Amino acid sequence: MQQLPPSSELYCEIGNAFAETRNTDKAIEYYTLAANMIPTRVLPRYLLWKLEVQSNNTENAINIAKTIIGQQTKIENTFTIRVRAEMKKYLDSNDFMINIYE
């Protein structure tokens, strides 16, 4: 069997597999690895945020949402615009909008 080279996309998929089996710690580990591989990509942090929201880890979800809003991206596309809008809506709906760019 051919081994795939490590990539942000691969680590996101591995994180998704762990999230589906409710192995949250491993999912967080792989999403974080993916986010750190290419810091300008929004998807890994978005997946991490979704997991934190589902796990009711509000403080972590808030911090990730703030990071995504202020994150530099290489390419601005409909996905990044939609995700940022979702982060702002999340922070607004939970009264966490204070100092979102810290």
Side-chain angles (χ1 to χ4, degrees):
M1 179 180 237
Q2 183 180 1
Q3 191 171 17
L4 296 172
S7 68
S8 180
E9 294 84 5
L10 177 62
Y11 285 165
C12 283
E13 288 301 320
I14 293 170
N16 289 342
F18 280 120
E20 285 179 22
T21 61
R22 297 195 182 0
N23 191 336
T24 305
D25 291 339
K26 283 300 225 180
I28 290 170
E29 178 183 338
Y30 278 93
Y31 291 151
T32 302
L33 283 169
N36 291 334
M37 286 182 89
I38 306 175
T40 58
R41 292 228 174 125
V42 172
L43 179 62
R45 283 190 179 83
Y46 177 67
L47 294 172
L48 184 57
W49 172 81
K50 283 176 50 174
L51 185 63
E52 295 291 8
V53 169
Q54 291 169 354
S55 300
N56 292 317
N57 293 328
T58 306
E59 187 175 337
N60 289 345
I62 292 166
N63 290 332
I64 294 165
K66 289 178 182 179
T67 299
I68 290 172
I69 290 170
Q71 179 177 341
Q72 294 289 327
T73 55
K74 190 173 181 180
I75 298 171
E76 190 76 15
N77 57 32
T78 55
F79 175 73
T80 59
I81 292 166
R82 184 180 61 78
V83 167
R84 285 195 173 117
E86 187 175 349
M87 298 301 102
K88 289 176 184 176
K89 183 178 176 182
Y90 172 75
L91 293 173
D92 280 344
S93 69
N94 291 294
D95 295 325
F96 301 127
M97 201 59 180
I98 300 170
N99 298 320
I100 63 169
Y101 295 105
E102 283 185 355

